[in-house]
Amino acid sequence: MAGARESPRMPQFVVVGHDAPTTPDFELNDLPGAGRLDLLCRCITSVLLLSHSIRTDATAHLVLQDEFTLRFEGASLRNLRPDERSTAALVRTALQQRAEAVGHVPVETSPGVFLSRTGLATTLDDVADGRTVVQLHEDGTPLAESTLPTESVFVLSDHHDFTSDETALLEKRRAKRVSVGPKPLHADQAITVAHNYLDTDGYASY
Amino acid sequence: MAGARESPRMPQFVVVGHDAPTTPDFELNDLPGAGRLDLLCRCITSVLLLSHSIRTDATAHLVLQDEFTLRFEGASLRNLRPDERSTAALVRTALQQRAEAVGHVPVETSPGVFLSRTGLATTLDDVADGRTVVQLHEDGTPLAESTLPTESVFVLSDHHDFTSDETALLEKRRAKRVSVGPKPLHADQAITVAHNYLDTDGYASY
């Protein structure tokens, strides 16, 4: 994913989809049954969409079963709409081109959407690159008591907890554990809260 | 909607769906084309769902073209899942029973879901009832600088602005204008931010 290194965006969100599809043969009529693609699509739109516009400075990285990573770049993204189904169709379009994603070279499968054959470790290596890595986690420091740079890399898991291997990857990169509140939120809701924290300068003012 | 008055819940969210369907003959495969039902369904789940549980103290009121109101009560709700399509199916099930919603008497169309033939004015009369009414609005006081009781009634519009008639209804009830941030969010994202404000005691601590 050389692109991420050449043109760093801020902030970045990495979402780990443990059961996410890696082939395009899933049903758009049953996104929960497609490895909770409903949740993963909401994560993508939570990272990138405002009302009537796109967050051009944000990037979403969706790790699909540690086999592929789909990168959605706000700066060049087109055709992303707010509903789950049309977002899932973008994922399907990307996976229809999976044979072209060879090694770590990303393929642009639709404008602003890049597919590469990389798992979480490589994605973190490419994206973190000197930035603060933040693990959104129930047991972390409250967001309001944290000081996080806008360039942070937020890493979230889907409906499953991080595996011990994934936790080890995060610890190796000295990820800060930050909590978005006392109640356990869905990953897409946590992304919205993290964006709001950055948008308001840590709730200070705007 | 006597139920809302007899057993007040906290907090309450009223979402105005200007183009929302009022009959069950919409396509589950095209929720954006069904009056942006995708957005309205995400609003319902944002009000009521946590990761792996329901916010039993929250209630969502979805006003459908000022003709019907659908109430989702966290305390008794069942079968609400996080994806848009299954939530839209609950809306369709409710509208299939629209003939039974006579006058202002609500019909329980599935566990915890109530349909009544009431528009925004009556819904606000029933729900507000001495509570603080909050209009989430880009030009309002920043949330972090506001002091809002948990029992507040948050009122939001869909992808359209409030009409002048709706604004007049809100002004009549002395609604506070509160902004969730400097960037315009989707209604469902604004609900998530408002919940987070309440969850964390106004970002103070938890």
Coordinates of all heavy atoms in Angstrom, one line a residue, chain B residues 133-202:
Chain B
V133 N -36.9 20.0 25.7 CA -36.9 19.6 24.2 C -35.6 20.1 23.6 O -35.3 21.3 23.8 CB -38.2 20.1 23.5 CG1 -38.1 19.8 22.0 CG2 -39.4 19.5 24.2
V134 N -34.9 19.3 22.9 CA -33.6 19.7 22.3 C -33.7 19.5 20.8 O -34.0 18.4 20.3 CB -32.5 18.9 22.9 CG1 -31.2 19.3 22.3 CG2 -32.4 19.0 24.4
Q135 N -33.4 20.6 20.1 CA -33.4 20.5 18.6 C -31.9 20.3 18.2 O -31.1 21.3 18.5 CB -34.0 21.7 18.0 CG -34.0 21.7 16.5 CD -34.5 23.0 15.9 OE1 -34.8 23.9 16.6 NE2 -34.5 23.1 14.6
L136 N -31.5 19.2 17.7 CA -30.1 19.1 17.3 C -30.0 19.8 15.9 O -30.7 19.6 15.0 CB -29.7 17.6 17.1 CG -29.7 16.8 18.4 CD1 -29.3 15.4 18.2 CD2 -28.7 17.5 19.4
H137 N -29.1 20.8 15.9 CA -29.1 21.8 14.8 C -27.7 22.3 14.7 O -27.0 22.7 15.7 CB -30.1 22.9 15.1 CG -30.4 23.8 13.9 ND1 -29.5 24.7 13.5 CD2 -31.5 23.8 13.1 CE1 -30.1 25.3 12.4 NE2 -31.3 24.8 12.2
E138 N -27.2 22.5 13.4 CA -25.9 22.9 13.2 C -25.6 24.3 13.9 O -24.4 24.5 14.3 CB -25.6 23.1 11.7 CG -25.6 21.8 10.9 CD -25.6 22.0 9.4 OE1 -25.0 22.9 9.0 OE2 -26.4 21.2 8.8
D139 N -26.6 25.1 14.0 CA -26.3 26.5 14.5 C -26.5 26.6 16.0 O -26.6 27.7 16.5 CB -27.2 27.5 13.8 CG -27.0 27.5 12.3 OD1 -25.8 27.2 11.9 OD2 -27.9 27.8 11.5
G140 N -26.7 25.5 16.7 CA -27.0 25.6 18.1 C -25.7 25.7 19.0 O -24.6 25.9 18.5
T141 N -26.0 25.8 20.3 CA -24.9 25.8 21.3 C -24.2 24.5 21.2 O -24.8 23.4 21.2 CB -25.5 26.0 22.7 OG1 -26.4 27.1 22.7 CG2 -24.4 26.1 23.7
P142 N -22.8 24.5 21.3 CA -22.1 23.2 21.3 C -22.6 22.3 22.4 O -22.8 22.8 23.5 CB -20.6 23.6 21.4 CG -20.6 25.0 20.8 CD -21.9 25.6 21.2
L143 N -22.7 21.1 22.1 CA -23.1 20.1 23.1 C -22.3 20.1 24.4 O -22.8 20.1 25.5 CB -23.0 18.7 22.5 CG -23.7 17.5 23.1 CD1 -25.2 17.8 23.4 CD2 -23.6 16.3 22.2
A144 N -20.9 20.3 24.2 CA -20.0 20.3 25.4 C -20.3 21.5 26.3 O -19.9 21.4 27.5 CB -18.6 20.2 24.9
E145 N -20.9 22.5 25.7 CA -21.2 23.7 26.6 C -22.6 23.7 27.1 O -23.1 24.7 27.6 CB -20.9 25.0 25.7 CG -19.4 25.1 25.4 CD -19.2 26.2 24.3 OE1 -20.1 27.1 24.2 OE2 -18.2 26.1 23.6
S146 N -23.3 22.6 26.8 CA -24.8 22.6 27.2 C -24.9 21.7 28.4 O -24.1 20.8 28.7 CB -25.6 22.0 26.1 OG -25.4 22.7 24.9
T147 N -26.0 22.0 29.2 CA -26.3 21.1 30.3 C -27.7 20.5 30.0 O -28.7 21.3 30.0 CB -26.3 21.9 31.6 OG1 -25.0 22.5 31.8 CG2 -26.5 20.9 32.8
L148 N -27.7 19.3 29.7 CA -29.0 18.7 29.3 C -29.3 17.5 30.2 O -28.5 16.6 30.5 CB -28.9 18.1 27.9 CG -28.5 19.2 26.8 CD1 -28.4 18.4 25.5 CD2 -29.6 20.3 26.7
P149 N -30.6 17.4 30.7 CA -31.0 16.3 31.5 C -31.1 15.0 30.7 O -31.4 15.1 29.5 CB -32.3 16.7 32.1 CG -32.8 17.8 31.2 CD -31.6 18.5 30.6
T150 N -30.9 13.9 31.3 CA -31.0 12.6 30.6 C -32.4 12.4 30.1 O -32.5 11.8 29.0 CB -30.7 11.5 31.6 OG1 -29.4 11.8 32.3 CG2 -30.5 10.2 30.9
E151 N -33.3 13.0 30.7 CA -34.7 12.9 30.3 C -35.1 13.7 29.1 O -36.2 13.8 28.7 CB -35.7 13.2 31.4 CG -35.6 12.3 32.6 CD -34.4 12.7 33.5 OE1 -33.8 13.7 33.3 OE2 -34.1 11.9 34.4
S152 N -34.1 14.4 28.5 CA -34.4 15.3 27.3 C -35.1 14.5 26.2 O -34.9 13.3 26.0 CB -33.1 15.9 26.8 OG -32.5 16.7 27.8
V153 N -35.8 15.3 25.4 CA -36.4 14.8 24.2 C -35.6 15.5 23.0 O -35.6 16.7 22.8 CB -37.9 15.3 24.1 CG1 -38.4 14.8 22.7 CG2 -38.7 14.8 25.2
F154 N -34.8 14.6 22.3 CA -34.0 15.1 21.2 C -34.9 15.0 19.9 O -35.4 13.9 19.6 CB -32.8 14.3 21.0 CG -31.8 14.5 22.2 CD1 -31.9 13.6 23.3 CD2 -30.8 15.5 22.2 CE1 -31.0 13.8 24.4 CE2 -29.9 15.6 23.2 CZ -30.0 14.8 24.3
V155 N -35.0 16.1 19.2 CA -35.7 16.1 17.9 C -34.8 16.3 16.8 O -34.0 17.3 16.8 CB -36.9 17.2 18.0 CG1 -37.8 17.0 16.8 CG2 -37.7 17.1 19.3
L156 N -34.9 15.5 15.8 CA -34.0 15.5 14.6 C -34.8 15.4 13.3 O -35.9 14.8 13.3 CB -33.0 14.4 14.6 CG -32.1 14.2 15.8 CD1 -32.7 13.2 16.8 CD2 -30.7 13.8 15.3
S157 N -34.3 16.0 12.3 CA -34.9 15.9 11.0 C -34.1 14.8 10.2 O -32.9 14.6 10.5 CB -34.9 17.2 10.3 OG -35.6 17.1 9.0
D158 N -34.7 14.3 9.1 CA -34.0 13.4 8.2 C -33.0 14.1 7.4 O -32.3 15.0 7.9 CB -35.1 12.6 7.4 CG -36.0 13.5 6.6 OD1 -35.7 14.8 6.6 OD2 -37.0 13.1 6.1
H159 N -32.9 13.8 6.1 CA -32.0 14.4 5.2 C -32.5 15.8 4.8 O -31.7 16.6 4.1 CB -31.7 13.6 4.0 CG -33.0 13.2 3.2 ND1 -34.0 12.5 3.9 CD2 -33.4 13.4 2.0 CE1 -35.0 12.3 3.0 NE2 -34.6 12.9 1.9
H160 N -33.7 16.2 5.1 CA -34.2 17.6 4.8 C -34.1 18.4 6.1 O -34.1 17.9 7.2 CB -35.6 17.5 4.4 CG -35.9 16.8 3.1 ND1 -35.3 17.1 1.9 CD2 -36.7 15.7 2.9 CE1 -35.7 16.3 1.0 NE2 -36.5 15.4 1.5
D161 N -34.1 19.7 5.9 CA -34.2 20.6 7.1 C -35.6 20.5 7.6 O -36.6 20.1 6.9 CB -33.9 22.1 6.7 CG -32.4 22.2 6.4 OD1 -31.6 21.5 7.0 OD2 -32.1 23.2 5.6
F162 N -35.8 21.0 8.9 CA -37.1 21.1 9.4 C -37.9 22.2 8.5 O -37.3 23.2 8.1 CB -37.1 21.6 10.8 CG -36.7 20.6 11.8 CD1 -35.5 20.7 12.5 CD2 -37.5 19.5 12.1 CE1 -35.1 19.8 13.4 CE2 -37.1 18.6 13.1 CZ -35.9 18.7 13.7
T163 N -39.2 22.0 8.3 CA -40.0 23.0 7.6 C -40.3 24.1 8.6 O -40.0 24.0 9.8 CB -41.3 22.4 7.2 OG1 -42.1 22.0 8.4 CG2 -41.1 21.1 6.3
S164 N -40.8 25.2 8.1 CA -41.1 26.4 8.9 C -42.2 26.0 9.9 O -42.2 26.4 11.1 CB -41.5 27.6 8.1 OG -42.5 27.3 7.2
D165 N -43.1 25.2 9.5 CA -44.2 24.7 10.5 C -43.6 23.9 11.6 O -44.0 24.1 12.8 CB -45.2 23.9 9.7 CG -46.2 24.7 8.9 OD1 -46.1 26.0 9.0 OD2 -47.0 24.2 8.2
E166 N -42.7 23.0 11.3 CA -42.0 22.2 12.3 C -41.2 23.0 13.2 O -41.2 22.9 14.5 CB -41.1 21.1 11.6 CG -42.0 20.0 10.9 CD -41.2 19.3 9.9 OE1 -40.0 19.6 9.6 OE2 -41.8 18.4 9.3
T167 N -40.5 24.0 12.7 CA -39.7 24.9 13.5 C -40.6 25.7 14.5 O -40.2 25.9 15.6 CB -38.9 25.9 12.6 OG1 -38.0 25.1 11.7 CG2 -38.0 26.8 13.4
A168 N -41.7 26.1 14.0 CA -42.7 26.8 14.8 C -43.2 25.9 16.0 O -43.3 26.4 17.1 CB -43.9 27.3 14.0
L169 N -43.4 24.6 15.7 CA -43.8 23.7 16.7 C -42.7 23.6 17.8 O -43.0 23.5 19.0 CB -44.1 22.3 16.1 CG -45.3 22.1 15.3 CD1 -45.4 20.6 14.8 CD2 -46.6 22.3 16.2
L170 N -41.5 23.5 17.4 CA -40.4 23.4 18.3 C -40.2 24.7 19.1 O -39.9 24.6 20.3 CB -39.1 23.1 17.5 CG -39.1 21.6 17.0 CD1 -38.0 21.5 15.9 CD2 -38.9 20.6 18.1
E171 N -40.3 25.8 18.4 CA -40.2 27.1 19.2 C -41.3 27.3 20.2 O -41.1 27.8 21.3 CB -40.2 28.3 18.2 CG -38.9 28.4 17.4 CD -38.9 29.4 16.3 OE1 -40.0 30.0 16.0 OE2 -37.8 29.6 15.7
K172 N -42.5 26.8 19.8 CA -43.6 26.9 20.8 C -43.3 26.1 22.1 O -43.7 26.5 23.2 CB -44.9 26.3 20.1 CG -46.2 26.5 20.9 CD -47.3 25.9 20.1 CE -48.4 25.4 21.0 NZ -49.3 24.4 20.3
R173 N -42.5 25.0 21.9 CA -42.2 24.2 23.1 C -40.8 24.6 23.6 O -40.2 23.9 24.4 CB -42.2 22.7 22.7 CG -43.6 22.2 22.5 CD -43.7 20.9 21.7 NE -45.1 20.6 21.5 CZ -45.9 21.1 20.6 NH1 -45.4 22.0 19.7 NH2 -47.1 20.7 20.5
R174 N -40.3 25.8 23.2 CA -39.1 26.4 23.7 C -37.9 25.4 23.6 O -37.1 25.2 24.5 CB -39.2 26.8 25.2 CG -40.2 27.9 25.3 CD -40.3 28.4 26.7 NE -41.4 29.4 26.9 CZ -42.0 29.7 28.0 NH1 -41.6 29.2 29.1 NH2 -42.9 30.6 28.0
A175 N -37.8 24.8 22.4 CA -36.7 23.8 22.2 C -35.4 24.5 22.2 O -35.2 25.6 21.7 CB -36.9 23.1 20.8
K176 N -34.4 23.9 22.9 CA -33.0 24.4 22.9 C -32.4 23.9 21.7 O -32.4 22.8 21.3 CB -32.3 23.8 24.1 CG -32.6 24.3 25.5 CD -31.6 23.7 26.5 CE -31.9 24.2 27.9 NZ -30.9 23.8 28.8
R177 N -31.7 24.8 21.0 CA -30.9 24.4 19.8 C -29.5 24.1 20.3 O -28.8 24.9 20.8 CB -30.8 25.6 18.8 CG -32.0 25.7 18.0 CD -31.7 26.6 16.8 NE -32.8 26.6 15.8 CZ -32.8 27.1 14.6 NH1 -31.7 27.7 14.2 NH2 -33.8 27.1 13.9
V178 N -29.1 22.8 20.0 CA -27.8 22.3 20.4 C -27.1 21.7 19.2 O -27.8 21.0 18.4 CB -28.0 21.2 21.5 CG1 -26.7 20.6 21.8 CG2 -28.5 21.9 22.8
S179 N -25.8 22.0 19.1 CA -25.1 21.5 17.9 C -24.1 20.4 18.4 O -23.5 20.4 19.5 CB -24.2 22.6 17.3 OG -23.1 22.1 16.7
V180 N -24.0 19.3 17.6 CA -23.2 18.2 18.0 C -21.8 18.3 17.4 O -20.9 17.5 17.6 CB -23.8 16.8 17.5 CG1 -25.1 16.5 18.2 CG2 -24.0 16.8 16.0
G181 N -21.5 19.4 16.8 CA -20.1 19.6 16.3 C -20.1 20.6 15.1 O -21.2 21.0 14.6
P182 N -18.9 20.9 14.7 CA -18.8 21.9 13.6 C -19.1 21.4 12.2 O -19.2 22.1 11.3 CB -17.3 22.4 13.7 CG -16.6 21.2 14.3 CD -17.6 20.5 15.2
K183 N -19.1 20.1 12.1 CA -19.4 19.4 10.8 C -20.8 18.9 10.8 O -21.3 18.3 11.8 CB -18.4 18.4 10.5 CG -16.9 18.9 10.4 CD -15.9 17.9 10.1 CE -14.6 18.6 9.9 NZ -13.4 17.7 9.8
P184 N -21.5 19.0 9.6 CA -22.9 18.5 9.5 C -22.9 17.0 9.5 O -22.4 16.4 8.6 CB -23.4 19.1 8.2 CG -22.1 19.4 7.4 CD -21.0 19.6 8.4
L185 N -23.5 16.4 10.5 CA -23.6 15.0 10.6 C -25.0 14.5 10.1 O -25.9 15.2 10.0 CB -23.4 14.5 12.1 CG -22.2 14.9 12.8 CD1 -22.1 14.2 14.1 CD2 -20.9 14.5 12.0
H186 N -25.0 13.2 9.7 CA -26.2 12.5 9.4 C -27.0 12.4 10.8 O -26.4 12.3 11.8 CB -26.0 11.1 8.9 CG -25.5 11.1 7.5 ND1 -26.4 11.4 6.4 CD2 -24.3 10.8 6.9 CE1 -25.7 11.3 5.3 NE2 -24.5 10.9 5.5
A187 N -28.3 12.3 10.7 CA -29.2 12.2 11.9 C -28.8 11.0 12.8 O -28.7 11.2 14.0 CB -30.6 12.1 11.5
D188 N -28.5 9.9 12.2 CA -28.1 8.7 13.0 C -26.8 9.0 13.7 O -26.6 8.6 14.9 CB -28.0 7.5 12.2 CG -27.1 7.5 11.0 OD1 -27.1 8.5 10.3 OD2 -26.2 6.6 10.9
Q189 N -25.8 9.7 13.0 CA -24.6 10.0 13.7 C -24.8 11.0 14.8 O -24.2 10.8 15.9 CB -23.6 10.6 12.7 CG -23.2 9.6 11.5 CD -22.5 10.3 10.4 OE1 -22.7 11.5 10.1 NE2 -21.6 9.5 9.7
A190 N -25.7 11.9 14.6 CA -26.0 12.9 15.7 C -26.6 12.2 16.9 O -26.3 12.6 18.1 CB -26.9 14.0 15.1
I191 N -27.4 11.2 16.7 CA -28.0 10.5 17.8 C -26.9 9.8 18.6 O -26.9 9.8 19.8 CB -29.0 9.5 17.3 CG1 -30.3 10.2 16.7 CG2 -29.4 8.4 18.3 CD1 -31.2 9.4 15.9
T192 N -26.0 9.2 17.9 CA -24.9 8.5 18.6 C -24.1 9.4 19.4 O -23.7 9.1 20.6 CB -24.0 7.8 17.5 OG1 -24.7 6.8 16.8 CG2 -22.8 7.1 18.1
V193 N -23.8 10.6 18.9 CA -23.0 11.6 19.6 C -23.9 12.1 20.9 O -23.3 12.2 22.0 CB -22.7 12.8 18.7 CG1 -22.1 14.0 19.5 CG2 -21.7 12.4 17.7
A194 N -25.1 12.3 20.7 CA -26.0 12.7 21.8 C -26.0 11.7 22.9 O -25.9 12.0 24.1 CB -27.4 13.1 21.3
H195 N -26.1 10.4 22.5 CA -26.1 9.3 23.5 C -24.8 9.3 24.3 O -24.7 9.2 25.5 CB -26.3 8.0 22.8 CG -27.6 7.4 22.9 ND1 -28.4 7.4 24.0 CD2 -28.4 6.7 22.0 CE1 -29.6 6.8 23.8 NE2 -29.6 6.4 22.6
N196 N -23.7 9.5 23.5 CA -22.4 9.5 24.1 C -22.2 10.6 25.1 O -21.6 10.5 26.2 CB -21.3 9.6 23.0 CG -19.9 9.4 23.6 OD1 -19.1 10.3 23.6 ND2 -19.6 8.2 24.1
Y197 N -22.8 11.8 24.8 CA -22.8 12.9 25.8 C -23.5 12.5 27.0 O -23.0 12.8 28.2 CB -23.4 14.1 25.1 CG -23.8 15.2 26.0 CD1 -23.0 16.3 26.3 CD2 -25.1 15.3 26.6 CE1 -23.3 17.3 27.1 CE2 -25.5 16.3 27.5 CZ -24.6 17.3 27.7 OH -24.9 18.3 28.6
L198 N -24.7 11.9 26.9 CA -25.4 11.5 28.1 C -24.7 10.4 28.9 O -24.6 10.4 30.1 CB -26.8 11.0 27.7 CG -27.8 12.1 27.1 CD1 -29.1 11.5 26.7 CD2 -28.0 13.3 28.1
D199 N -24.2 9.4 28.1 CA -23.5 8.2 28.7 C -22.3 8.7 29.6 O -22.0 8.1 30.6 CB -22.9 7.3 27.6 CG -24.0 6.5 26.9 OD1 -25.1 6.4 27.4 OD2 -23.7 6.0 25.8
T200 N -21.6 9.8 29.2 CA -20.4 10.2 29.9 C -20.7 11.4 30.7 O -19.7 12.1 31.1 CB -19.3 10.6 28.8 OG1 -19.8 11.6 28.0 CG2 -18.9 9.3 28.0
D201 N -21.9 11.7 31.1 CA -22.3 12.8 32.0 C -21.8 14.1 31.4 O -21.1 14.9 32.0 CB -21.6 12.6 33.3 CG -22.6 12.2 34.4 OD1 -23.8 12.4 34.1 OD2 -22.2 11.7 35.4
G202 N -22.1 14.3 30.1 CA -21.6 15.5 29.4 C -20.1 15.6 29.3 O -19.5 16.6 29.4

